[in-house]
């Protein structure tokens, strides 16, 4: 029986491409480098800040200086650029109190600030960011922590994600993936809007999460 619904952050709770692109382009501009190419935008969408900096500055000699500057750059001005997905709040309200809710994200220090700004803190029973684990997604450590926290088995949970990293993360954790607005992922189910969320949950409860 399904007992836990877990979410990715970027690309699922929020359309955050504009915010993240502006953040990393600001770092690039500081070091006199051009804005990101499309492949880099795709990469930073689902990886940690450290991995993203290493990727977009892979040919730069002083990566330590890049990381120091990134740590000093306030992400606050970029948070208002993050657009909450339509019908998200209604779906989160629908989940309460029947299901546990969790967030597993490769964001680090900005995670709580984002949730506070958008007044979403109280909708999640547990938040696990890349800052809270030794190995970020796609390593399954974050989901193992979530399952252990609630005392659940993988088949009692689903994960809603939108990237290849999320696909691998769910696979390694043994949890069915719900692909959000990405038909190219190998997933148990495909969700185009949170307005369809209640119908998905009803289907899961009638058939079992592993039988989608």
């Amino acid at each position: 029986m399904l007992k836990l619904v877990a979410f990715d952050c970027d690309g699922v709770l929020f359309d955050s491409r504009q915010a993240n692109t502006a953040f990393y382009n600001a770092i690039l501009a500081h070091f006199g480098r051009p804005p990101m190419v499309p492949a880099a935008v795709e990469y930073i969408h689902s990886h940690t800040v450290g991995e993203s900096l290493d990727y977009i500055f892979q040919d730069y000699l002083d990566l330590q200086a890049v990381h120091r500057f990134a740590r000093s750059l306030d992400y606050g001005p970029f948070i208002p650029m993050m657009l909450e997905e339509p019908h998200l709040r209604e779906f989160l309200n629908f989940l309460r109190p029947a299901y546990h809710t969790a967030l597993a994200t490769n964001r680090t220090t900005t995670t709580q600030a984002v949730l506070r700004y958008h007044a979403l803190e109280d909708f999640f029973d547990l938040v696990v960011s890349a800052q809270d684990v030794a190995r970020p997604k796609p390593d399954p450590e974050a989901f193992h922590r979530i399952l252990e926290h609630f005392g659940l088995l993988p088949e009692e949970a689903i994960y809603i994600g939108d990237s290849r990293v999320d696909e691998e993360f769910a696979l390694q954790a043994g949890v069915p993936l719900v692909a959000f607005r990405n038909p190219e992922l190998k997933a148990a189910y495909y969700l185009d809007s949170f307005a369809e969320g209640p119908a998905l949950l009803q289907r899961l409860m009638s058939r079992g999460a592993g039988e989608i």
Side-chain angles (χ1 to χ4, degrees):
M1 176 180 288
L2 181 66
K3 298 180 180 178
L4 165 70
V5 180
F7 299 76
D8 180 31
C9 182
D10 294 74
V12 176
L13 302 186
F14 306 99
D15 178 352
S16 55
R17 284 182 183 267
Q18 180 184 0
N20 291 338
T21 300
F23 174 74
Y24 286 104
N25 280 343
I27 298 172
L28 285 163
H30 177 81
F31 289 94
R33 296 168 73 86
M36 290 184 292
V37 298
V41 173
E42 286 298 320
Y43 187 90
I44 60 101
H45 174 69
S46 57
H47 289 79
T48 67
V49 62
E51 291 168 334
S52 297
L53 291 171
D54 289 347
Y55 180 85
I56 62 178
F57 283 90
Q58 56 190 277
D59 60 345
Y60 193 73
L61 294 179
D62 193 355
L63 279 175
Q64 289 187 347
V66 171
H67 284 266
R68 281 196 302 271
F69 178 74
R71 287 193 296 269
S72 72
L73 184 60
D74 181 14
Y75 192 82
F78 304 97
I79 293 177
M81 299 180 190
M82 299 176 68
L83 305 177
E84 183 180 317
E85 283 292 338
H87 309 290
L88 170 65
R89 233 165 261 265
E90 295 92 326
F91 182 53
L92 290 171
N93 277 315
F94 171 83
L95 294 175
R96 297 304 188 96
Y99 304 96
H100 299 299
T101 55
L103 184 65
T105 175
N106 269 349
R107 279 188 175 268
T108 53
T109 57
T110 62
T111 304
Q112 292 298 334
V114 167
L115 294 177
R116 278 195 303 271
Y117 179 88
H118 291 277
L120 288 172
E121 289 177 292
D122 294 338
F123 284 103
F124 297 98
D125 300 314
L126 181 66
V127 174
V128 181
S129 74
Q131 190 178 25
D132 303 315
V133 294
R135 299 171 301 278
K137 297 188 302 181
D139 188 280
E141 180 185 353
F143 220 106
H144 291 164
R145 289 190 57 174
I146 291 170
L147 293 173
E148 182 179 356
H149 176 85
F150 294 107
L152 299 177
L153 299 172
E155 56 265 30
E156 295 176 303
I158 57 173
Y159 185 63
I160 304 176
D162 71 308
S163 69
R164 293 292 181 191
V165 169
D166 294 328
E167 178 185 84
E168 183 63 22
F169 176 59
L171 178 65
Q172 290 195 44
V175 174
L177 174 68
V178 178
F180 189 73
R181 292 186 179 172
N182 190 343
E184 296 182 1
L185 299 182
K186 184 178 180 181
Y189 192 77
Y190 299 86
L191 189 65
D192 291 325
S193 168
F194 284 118
E196 303 166 5
L200 168 63
L201 268 291
Q202 290 167 5
R203 181 177 177 183
L204 290 176
M205 292 306 291
S206 64
R207 299 181 59 184
E211 301 177 13
I212 302 175

